Amino acid sequence: MSSRYIQIMDTTLRDGEQTQGVSFSPAEKVSIAKALLESLRVDRIEVASAGVSEGEQEAVRNINEWAQAEGFDGKVEVLGFADHKRSVDWIVNANGKVINLLTKGSEKHCREQLGKTLDEHVEQVLNTVNYALQQGLKVNVYLEDWSNGYADSPEYVFAFMEAIKDAGIDHFMLPDTLGVMSPDEVRTALTDMCARFPDVQFDFHPHNDYGLGTANIMAAVEAGVSAIHCTVNCLGERAGNASVSEVSVVLRDKMGMELSIDESNIVRLSNMVENFSGKWVAANAPIIGDDVFTQTAGIHADGDKKGGLYESKLSPERFSRIRSYALGKMSGKASLSKNLERLGIELSEENQKKVLERIVRLGDSKQTITTEDLPFIIADVLESESYKHIRLLDCSITSRLDQSSIADIAVNIKGAEYQSSGTGNGGFDAFIDAINKLLVEYDAVLPELEDYEVRIPKGGHTNALTECVITWANERKMRKTRGVHSNQVFASILAALRMINIQLHEKS
């Protein structure tokens, strides 16, 4: 297939917000919209449905004003309805420039939901289109339920298209509204549509109910469509829409298409939407998942060390990420070597063997091992004091309902013993208050928490070991430390002590 330019229309802020439990605030909408156009460089964004609320209209107004000031005029779209003036006026009052008009793409929807004939619906649509054009709006049209309409009543679809194709509409957007199509069905239907209406600009809007969203977009592009719709993190109703990260990479790598997407910002956008939506991305999600550039098997690390044998065109550097090598029971010598290289640590062959034995043993007990754990494992195995600058001698936590917690601690820092007390909103917060009072003497302070996870092994009971993993924002570089204890507060304290040890070691 010859290369051509494919437009990406992102509908995270409209269709994506139809995800169960997701509601972006006006400020979050503006931030995401700016990032989509300015950083990710999508061609168009759909940001809202007309008539939702005053807060929604204010957000749309702010997005439009920013877009027009920054050279993105005409790239912000709002869903509207065939209600003559109501949706159009709402969009115009929000300084909008484009309406995506929702129409009925299947005879069943037209007859049973609207209670109208085709001719009545066409009249309703054209009245709204004409009014929108008079108000200076560009008009795109969704043919809702088009996939079922094409399969069940194609004569309706063709007649509807014939009636509106010369009305001044820019994009005719064909949704697989319920995500029922297969790639072969998409290819057949869109090839037919493109052949019947060669002068029309078609968009394809898939849903992911069968997990075929990305595959269906490939088929749509094969059929001749040059504009496709997707969302960040696959947000959308039910199983969501096609993922912009997967789609952009697949169209480039597997089909040779030209896109405007800046891949280096894909993960940053994913993280922003993840935080604002509260819908977390699976660790094994392609491109954006935490684990997708982590090699676990020792044989893979060995192959990479000997010539990048397990690397592919899908490199982490494309997405401003790095490849990592997991440490655990499947680790081999090369896995350890790669992590030591990352830390800048050199060990003899004999000492590497000892450390690897300890890692495998820890892996057998189901413990996860981070790169930041290595210095402590090394120090323990080699009986080195290098990373034992601080030791907890005693710690008492007192918590009462509706009162601040109190932490009394005794520590040894570089051979000197200290005591301190602190208060806070919970035991861990009280400990941080107490320890920071002592760290001042060493010109150190704990970094800000970026993330905090507490978990127990699957099937564990209330007395199970607790693992706490803390991500620290340390001078623009994320670091993770881990603590394991039967008490979750003390697990988090142990994780914090590891971070302090790292800081003290770097200052020594």
Side-chain angles (χ1 to χ4, degrees):
M1 176 175 291
S2 60
S3 177
R4 67 182 193 278
Y5 186 83
I6 303 297
Q7 273 194 3
I8 303 290
M9 194 274 263
D10 184 280
T11 182
T12 301
L13 296 175
R14 198 279 298 173
D15 213 351
E17 201 175 26
Q18 293 176 199
T19 308
Q20 170 64 26
V22 172
S23 179
F24 299 117
S25 71
E28 289 170 343
K29 278 206 160 192
V30 173
S31 296
I32 294 171
K34 289 180 178 180
L36 285 168
L37 289 171
E38 200 168 43
S39 299
L40 194 57
R41 309 297 297 182
V42 299
D43 298 280
R44 299 148 51 200
I45 58 174
E46 189 176 42
V47 299
S49 297
V52 171
S53 68
E54 290 184 9
E56 187 87 335
Q57 190 176 47
E58 184 62 27
V60 174
R61 184 180 294 110
N62 290 338
I63 293 169
N64 279 318
E65 289 174 355
W66 170 84
Q68 289 157 26
E70 296 298 323
F72 299 107
D73 198 16
K75 295 191 174 187
V76 178
E77 304 173 5
V78 178
L79 183 75
F81 306 94
D83 50 18
H84 195 198
K85 295 184 177 182
R86 186 178 176 214
S87 292
V88 173
D89 288 345
W90 192 95
I91 294 170
V92 170
N93 288 333
N95 291 334
K97 299 294 184 181
V98 184
I99 181 172
N100 290 343
L101 188 62
L102 191 68
T103 69
K104 293 302 184 182
S106 70
E107 191 274 337
K108 186 176 181 180
H109 270 224
C110 182
R111 170 173 41 84
E112 296 190 12
Q113 190 170 46
L114 296 184
K116 294 183 181 294
T117 65
L118 171 60
D119 289 341
E120 289 171 334
H121 186 43
V122 167
E123 180 180 5
Q124 179 186 38
V125 169
L126 291 179
N127 282 340
T128 304
V129 170
N130 291 333
Y131 182 68
L133 294 173
Q134 290 169 13
Q135 301 306 306
L137 296 184
K138 282 178 55 179
V139 180
N140 303 322
V141 169
Y142 273 113
L143 275 68
E144 186 185 13
D145 199 40
W146 164 81
S147 50
N148 282 318
Y150 182 87
D152 300 335
S153 52
E155 66 285 348
Y156 169 92
V157 174
F158 303 149
F160 185 50
M161 282 295 303
E162 286 290 348
I164 67 172
K165 67 182 178 65
D166 298 318
I169 297 164
D170 282 72
H171 290 259
F172 291 78
M173 307 191 289
L174 306 179
D176 182 11
T177 302
L178 298 179
V180 296
M181 301 184 87
S182 70
D184 284 345
E185 290 167 330
V186 171
R187 191 178 298 105
T188 298
L190 286 176
T191 298
D192 184 22
M193 293 293 290
C194 290
R196 287 176 183 272
F197 306 100
D199 299 325
V200 163
Q201 167 70 57
F202 284 121
D203 292 15
F204 180 59
H205 178 106
H207 278 261
N208 206 37
D209 295 69
Y210 279 96
L212 294 172
T214 299
N216 284 344
I217 279 179
M218 294 178 72
V221 171
E222 285 180 6
V225 167
S226 57
I228 56 92
H229 299 186
C230 45
T231 62
V232 178
N233 296 348
C234 204
L235 290 184
E237 276 193 289
R238 304 180 311 278
N241 295 36
S243 165
V244 66
S245 56
E246 295 176 27
V247 166
S248 58
V249 171
V250 165
L251 291 182
R252 273 187 171 139
D253 288 8
K254 297 302 179 183
M255 302 187 73
M257 297 296 140
E258 298 174 18
L259 305 171
S260 61
I261 297 294
D262 182 350
E263 293 178 341
S264 67
N265 285 309
I266 281 177
V267 175
R268 187 171 75 83
L269 258 293
S270 170
N271 292 339
M272 176 188 288
V273 172
E274 188 177 41
N275 288 327
F276 288 165
S277 68
K279 296 291 185 179
W280 309 120
V281 171
N284 62 348
I287 315 301
I288 55 178
D290 284 346
D291 295 346
V292 295
F293 295 112
T294 299
Q295 302 280 35
T296 300
I299 191 173
H300 293 167
D302 181 65
D304 285 348
K305 186 177 180 181
K306 292 177 179 176
L309 303 183
Y310 291 90
E311 297 175 2
S312 72
K313 191 175 182 179
L314 202 61
S315 66
E317 292 77 16
R318 286 173 62 177
F319 314 105
S320 299
R321 303 186 66 180
I322 60 172
R323 192 177 306 282
S324 62
Y325 296 86
L327 296 169
K329 66 180 181 180
M330 298 180 68
S331 297
K333 182 179 176 182
S335 301
L336 174 59
S337 177
K338 284 284 189 179
N339 281 279
L340 291 173
E341 180 182 314
R342 180 177 167 188
L343 291 172
I345 296 174
E346 294 184 8
L347 291 177
S348 67
E349 289 285 328
E350 182 62 26
N351 285 336
Q352 284 193 42
K353 182 179 178 182
K354 292 178 182 177
V355 171
L356 185 58
E357 287 174 354
R358 177 65 59 84
I359 289 170
V360 172
R361 194 157 61 248
L362 287 169
D364 272 334
S365 67
K366 303 294 185 184
Q367 296 185 43
T368 58
I369 303 164
T370 67
T371 302
E372 287 74 17
D373 284 320
L374 260 183
F376 301 97
I377 296 172
I378 293 168
D380 187 36
V381 169
L382 305 183
E383 296 182 348
S384 166
E385 293 296 319
S386 297
Y387 276 72
K388 294 181 181 178
H389 302 294
I390 183 169
R391 289 186 296 117
L392 186 66
L393 303 177
D394 195 13
C395 180
S396 173
I397 304 288
T398 303
S399 295
R400 290 185 176 181
L401 185 66
D402 297 329
Q403 291 186 20
S404 295
S405 295
I406 301 172
D408 295 305
I409 66 172
V411 296
N412 183 302
I413 303 178
K414 296 188 174 183
E417 293 189 7
Y418 301 89
Q419 291 184 343
S420 180
S421 295
T423 60
N425 183 20
F428 181 60
D429 191 34
F431 169 81
I432 296 299
D433 182 46
I435 199 68
N436 274 335
K437 292 174 182 177
L438 300 178
L439 293 178
V440 171
E441 297 292 328
Y442 293 88
D443 191 29
V445 64
L446 276 166
E448 294 292 324
L449 268 69
E450 184 71 21
D451 196 13
Y452 178 101
E453 288 182 81
V454 174
R455 55 180 177 262
I456 65 172
K458 288 184 178 180
H461 302 287
T462 54
N463 63 349
L465 279 178
T466 300
E467 180 185 64
C468 178
V469 179
I470 300 178
T471 304
W472 309 88
N474 188 36
E475 296 178 355
R476 299 184 180 179
K477 180 172 70 173
M478 299 300 173
R479 275 179 158 160
K480 289 187 178 183
T481 59
R482 179 182 57 85
V484 175
H485 198 277
S486 57
N487 182 303
Q488 73 175 56
V489 175
F490 285 106
S492 62
I493 287 172
L494 293 176
L497 288 172
R498 289 192 169 191
M499 187 67 240
I500 295 169
N501 261 318
I502 292 173
Q503 290 183 306
L504 294 176
H505 185 76
E506 290 175 346
K507 289 180 178 294
S508 61

